[in-house]
């Protein structure tokens, strides 16, 4: 939730502040007065909304899963866990998939802005919904936690280092040999998407 619409460095600062304030547990966040929680996560942006949602998530999860997040995530199959997480306010598909993959350690392919941009540029598909992109990748990548984990990390790295929003570095890009957009870039730099 903290990583939504912000850079990771801001999240790190928020995590540091939460740690310092003794708010690194579900029960601690659930019982925390909003102004205190807002102060702690201020650096993550949209902090008022995020504080409300984070506290609401912890309160509901505690009420419905008193066994704790770890036991809940371990006992629930990936598909069911994803569906349940999506019913929580503030948990969209990307957040749910991150939780299933990274917190529960179960296969659920994460689609983020880097993946969509690269997929569109490389002409894997066009105009797909989140679920469409997810189905495309899950259909083509072996359903394995380590593979999904590494694949997502590599796509993020590629998006940051080469397939940038503007002025992508197609020349040295490792996908240059297979990417549909690479040849267009030189001819039509200004309209590159
Ligand atoms: S070749 Fe260019 S457009 Fe294609 S993935 Fe690499 S950086 Fe992105």
């Amino acid at each position: 939730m903290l990583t939504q619409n912000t850079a990771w460095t801001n999240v790190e600062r928020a995590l540091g502040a939460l740690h310092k304030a003794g708010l690194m547990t579900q029960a601690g966040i659930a019982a925390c007065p909003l102004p205190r929680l807002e102060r702690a996560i201020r650096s993550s942006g949209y902090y008022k909304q995020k504080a409300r949602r984070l506290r609401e998530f912890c309160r509901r999860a505690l009420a419905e899963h008193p066994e704790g997040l770890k036991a809940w995530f371990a006992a629930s199959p990936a598909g069911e866990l994803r569906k349940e997480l999506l019913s929580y306010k503030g948990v969209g598909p990307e957040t749910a998939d991150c939780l299933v993959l990274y917190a529960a350690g179960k296969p659920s392919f994460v689609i983020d802005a880097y993946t969509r941009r690269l997929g569109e540029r490389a002409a894997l598909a066009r105009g797909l919904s989140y679920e469409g992109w997810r189905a495309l990748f899950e259909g083509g990548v072996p359903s394995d936690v380590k593979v999904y984990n590494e694949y997502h990390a590599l796509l993020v790295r590629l998006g940051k280092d080469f397939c940038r929003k503007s002025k992508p570095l197609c020349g040295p890009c490792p996908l240059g040999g297979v990417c549909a957009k690479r040849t267009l870039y030189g001819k039509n730099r200004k309209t590159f998407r």
Side-chain angles (χ1 to χ4, degrees), residues 138-161:
E138 291 204 346
V141 179
S143 182
D144 179 279
V145 173
K146 277 190 182 165
V147 174
Y148 280 11
N149 200 319
E150 183 68 3
Y151 211 113
H152 179 231
L154 289 171
L155 287 173
V156 171
R157 187 69 188 267
L158 195 86
K160 283 187 173 178
D161 290 353

Side-chain angles (χ1 to χ4, degrees), residues 118 121 162-163 168-170 173 175-176 179 181-182 192:
L118 195 145
R121 286 176 173 174
F162 299 97
C163 204
L169 302 174
C170 295
C173 174
L175 289 190
C179 178
K181 277 285 183 186
R182 188 185 181 196
F192 194 95

